[in-house]
Amino acid sequence: QVQLVESGGGLVQPGGSLRLSCAASGSIFTFSVMAWYRQAPGKERELVAHISGGGTTTYADFVRDRFTISRDNAKNTVYLQMNSLKPEDTAIYYCNLFLSRIGEFNNYWGQGTQVTVSS
């Protein structure tokens, strides 16, 4: 069983920055793809960015060059550095851990952390 605990959300003005963290329990973090998703009111959950165990990253077009995903395998933690925040970035941000291998399927979600961008 894996638990994901997010932190770092809050209220920030447009153009500001926030850094989200997601700490994972268990022993499979290093091998897992870690991702950040977000869900705004009335909208579907959407992928923001993901990072492989080896550090390969992928970003949604709407956050490219503004957000950076990173991970510290020694701390079982993934981060999302968010710069140049816009009001449309307002959403609940969720951490996800995914690992699929023979005889094993893992897909876990954190509880979410609220990010509000407003003046």
Side-chain angles (χ1 to χ4, degrees):
Q1 189 72 12
V2 171
Q3 289 188 328
L4 303 174
V5 180
E6 299 115 332
S7 61
L11 173 64
V12 64
Q13 293 187 342
S17 298
L18 282 175
R19 188 194 196 202
L20 306 183
S21 300
C22 172
S25 64
S27 60
I28 64 172
F29 178 87
T30 302
F31 312 103
S32 302
V33 174
M34 298 300 300
W36 288 96
Y37 287 75
R38 71 184 187 185
Q39 187 167 19
K43 295 187 177 181
E44 293 187 353
R45 190 171 298 189
E46 60 185 358
L47 176 67
V48 175
H50 62 75
I51 183 168
S52 71
T56 301
T57 58
T58 303
Y59 296 92
D61 288 342
F62 54 79
V63 301
R64 198 180 306 276
D65 297 328
R66 298 190 298 125
F67 292 9
T68 302
I69 189 170
S70 61
R71 64 191 297 160
D72 185 337
N73 288 338
K75 296 182 178 180
N76 274 20
T77 301
V78 63
Y79 305 97
L80 185 69
Q81 177 66 44
M82 305 185 294
N83 299 328
S84 302
L85 283 161
K86 305 174 181 180
E88 52 263 44
D89 294 319
T90 296
I92 299 174
Y93 284 70
Y94 296 92
C95 176
N96 173 260
L97 180 150
F98 178 82
L99 174 64
S100 179
R101 46 193 183 185
I102 296 174
E104 181 182 355
F105 180 80
N106 301 277
N107 188 31
Y108 294 96
W109 295 90
Q111 81 286 354
T113 186
Q114 176 71 47
V115 172
T116 302
V117 185
S118 175
S119 55

